[in-house]
Amino acid sequence: MRRASILSTIFGALFLLFAQGQARAEGGAGPEAMTMGNMCMVMFGYDMIHITSYLPGMSRSEYCEEIPATGKVIMVFDIENPRFRDLPIEIRIIRDPLTPVTSDTKLDPLTEVHFPATRYRTGTFSFEHDYMNNGHYIGMVTLTKESGEQETQIFKFSVGETLWQYVPYLLGAVLIGMLIFFYWRHSHPAARKEPQAAS
């Protein structure tokens, strides 16, 4: 029974690792941003703006936090609340400085894309940008309310292969290696008793 339990655990871990790999290959979302399927979102109170990314000419998949290749990327923004369609919305994409972004951070040297505040009355808008380098990026969505107050929400994403994308696979390999080791120890009890017999 114990061997069967360990074997089922190993196969379960292998299945989960494979499923995670498939999800990432199909544009699965990472752990940082709020996501729904392969669609990221930013929240303003209980209202949301959906963000979906595409690689034109390379794949029909939708991507969220992990865009697997550099080059031209189309980002589509869908405004759920009709009231927001009459409010100015500013979009800025910056390279992640890997330090906290504060009001004192100079954004211009980091900016990859910037669209000044605009009213998107159709409720959806998109843009295409050519990302030249692998790396981590931060999207900043700023909504100007009727009162003139501004609120900024962010979403993070990566472009191209980055080191962090391999961490789940490395952890999975370590887990499977440990399970195989413990299975071998349990299935070869004589290997543990030999030193005692020799003494």
Side-chain angles (χ1 to χ4, degrees):
M1 289 293 292
R2 183 176 293 177
R3 292 184 184 182
S5 175
I6 294 174
L7 280 175
S8 65
T9 302
I10 292 174
F11 285 123
L14 284 169
F15 174 78
L16 288 174
L17 186 61
F18 175 77
Q20 185 181 48
Q22 285 295 103
R24 288 172 178 270
E26 294 171 4
E32 292 183 276
M34 185 174 293
T35 62
M36 179 183 292
N38 291 334
M39 190 182 293
C40 294
M41 64 184 76
V42 289
M43 301 293 297
F44 293 91
Y46 293 103
D47 298 303
M48 62 189 72
I49 297 177
H50 291 288
I51 305 133
T52 311
S53 298
Y54 302 89
L55 291 171
M58 293 183 61
S59 171
R60 294 184 179 180
S61 297
E62 299 177 353
Y63 299 97
C64 180
E65 285 193 326
E66 295 177 1
I67 301 171
T70 55
K72 293 182 179 179
V73 175
I74 295 175
M75 285 190 168
V76 181
F77 293 72
D78 292 305
I79 304 170
E80 292 292 311
N81 189 336
R83 183 173 62 88
F84 286 0
R85 301 173 188 179
D86 291 321
L87 300 178
I89 296 175
E90 177 185 0
I91 305 294
R92 186 187 294 268
I93 307 292
I94 66 171
R95 294 179 296 279
D96 191 342
L98 303 180
T99 57
V101 177
T102 67
S103 57
D104 295 327
T105 303
K106 294 183 179 180
L107 298 179
D108 286 343
L110 300 171
T111 297
E112 193 83 12
V113 181
H114 181 224
F115 295 96
T118 304
R119 291 175 174 83
Y120 297 98
R121 301 189 188 279
T122 62
T124 185
F125 63 97
S126 64
F127 65 85
E128 181 179 290
H129 180 67
D130 193 357
Y131 290 90
M132 304 298 294
N133 300 306
N134 294 348
H136 294 268
Y137 296 84
I138 300 175
M140 308 174 72
V141 182
T142 301
L143 178 72
T144 302
K145 301 178 182 179
E146 293 93 337
S147 63
E149 177 189 0
Q150 291 187 331
E151 180 180 348
T152 300
Q153 298 294 338
I154 69 170
F155 62 98
K156 295 185 178 183
F157 62 98
S158 64
V159 176
E161 296 293 336
T162 61
L163 178 62
W164 290 106
Q165 290 176 272
Y166 294 101
V167 170
Y169 298 101
L170 294 174
L171 293 177
V174 170
L175 173 62
I176 292 170
M178 291 174 62
L179 290 172
I180 292 173
F181 172 75
F182 285 123
Y183 172 73
W184 181 84
R185 293 281 290 178
H186 282 287
S187 61
H188 295 79
R192 299 196 305 271
K193 295 179 179 179
E194 282 179 2
Q196 297 178 358
S199 61

